[in-house]
Amino acid sequence: MTSAATLSPPITPAPRRRRSSPWWMALAAGVAAFGGTGSATLNGDELATISAASRSLAGLWELARHIDGHFLPYYVFMHFWAKAGTAELWLRLPSALAIAVAAGFLVELGRRLHSTRAGVTAAALLAVLPSVSYYGAFARSYSFAAAAVVFSFWALHRAVEAPAARRWVLYGASVALVCCTHLFAVLVLPAQLVVAAALLPGRTLLLRMLPALAAGGVPALVLGLVGYGERHAISWIPQRGPDVLLKFPKMAAGAAEVGVPLFAVALAGAALLWLRGSPAVRAWAVALLGWLLLPPLLLLAVSHLVTPVYVDRYLFVTAPALALLAAVAVAGISRSGPAVAACCALVLAAGVAGAAQHVTVRESNGRFEDIPWAVRRMDARSGDAIVFGQSTARAGFDYYGDGSMPDDVLRVGSAPQPDGFGYPERGDVAAALEGRERVWVVWRGAKSAGPRLPRVKAVMSAGYRQESAWHSADLPGLTVALYTAG
């Protein structure tokens, strides 16, 4: 059995240091992800998490039968987590913990594939990526998916290194975790199959690896069938052309200033592994490159062959691969002193290049829906009404609103619809607004988007004209408009 060799002279740290270093880096990465999360207000996706988690388990199943079925495992987890509260920090904490787990296993994976220096550098790079600042403080499952993918590659390396049955069981469990965290996280699995096929004898591959992969992939099959039946829920996703791949480095890192140079360094890291490594290391070089490149390519292929699904956030699982390959590129310098200096310089340069974006994602409008701003913008008087251009926008005003909110005249009941995140509303807008002099209308998107929305059209048809309108910073953002009886 050929095991992975290192490119530089082996580094053999003391046992205590080797065991503890992943978790120190895990703590640092978790803190980096979680720091400042309370300043950025929840956006629509995070509010959907609250809506799902606040339902009963039966209600969650009913929701999953109509929309977001592939998020069901995450929603079930958050159902129990939210029993302790729905404060912003508490809701986002699991994602930061997932980043910590991803960083810890990335250290160990880097040590196995190259050196402890490479693993620690990879975890440090991951911690300073602006995309980690965003998704590590985001109440959705994307950080969970990244952590599960890192864990699965680590488990696969252990199983290939010493193909014991218990290690293949662990690998199968890791694949199941990947499938349960996000449906499109499975796009990394072909890269794992390639490395296993290159390194394992045929009998071991057929009798151990493939059954483990197949058993772990059952959740993906189930959730994929559910998701296919709910294609209407993602009809808002536009079709993308090949040019979208040019933006992939920016998406993976969270900022072009970091992503583009780091992507180039990562490609160099893959090339160095291939050129200087043993056959086993070359196989892992292909696997890491597949981890980085296959998800965007396959997601674009699915978009054109099945239905449009190319959304940047679905590809966050590639961020650890970007960090690991870039770390390998600089950690492979033969002399210890220059290699350490190069690793530190790379991490520092990535941190400085992404500093502006780190600040931006921590601003109040860092998630592009500054609902508290919208609440403050409304100078509501007694008797004022409020109408939402999209029914789902109501959830944010329920969360951040106070006693001074205008009357929600279209609302029917307090619970959202059982088959979605919208709310039951009256259809007779004119009758609901009868006798109201002022109506506040709120919608997601630019000011110009309002007149195209049915609810806004209905307000205008009822005899109201727009007096003022305000938009919150970046697009899509929120628009708050005041309509008065004309």
Side-chain angles (χ1 to χ4, degrees), residues 443-452 470-471 475-479:
W443 62 84
R444 291 191 178 100
K447 295 178 183 179
S448 59
R452 298 192 295 270
W470 305 266
H471 184 262
L475 292 173
L478 289 169
T479 296

Side-chain angles (χ1 to χ4, degrees), residues 21-103:
S21 60
W23 311 118
W24 280 112
M25 287 308 304
L27 177 62
V31 170
F34 194 59
T37 59
S39 55
T41 58
L42 301 174
N43 73 358
D45 285 341
E46 294 177 291
L47 291 164
T49 295
I50 297 177
S51 176
S54 301
R55 306 179 193 214
S56 65
L57 291 177
L60 265 178
W61 174 245
E62 178 65 19
L63 176 70
R65 291 176 57 239
H66 297 90
I67 188 174
D68 274 5
H70 62 288
F71 279 118
L72 181 59
Y74 174 70
Y75 285 159
V76 170
F77 168 80
M78 291 301 291
H79 168 80
F80 292 102
W81 183 268
K83 288 184 180 297
T86 56
E88 293 168 337
L89 291 176
W90 181 249
L91 290 169
R92 289 168 171 168
L93 178 59
S95 290
L97 295 176
I99 291 296
V101 171

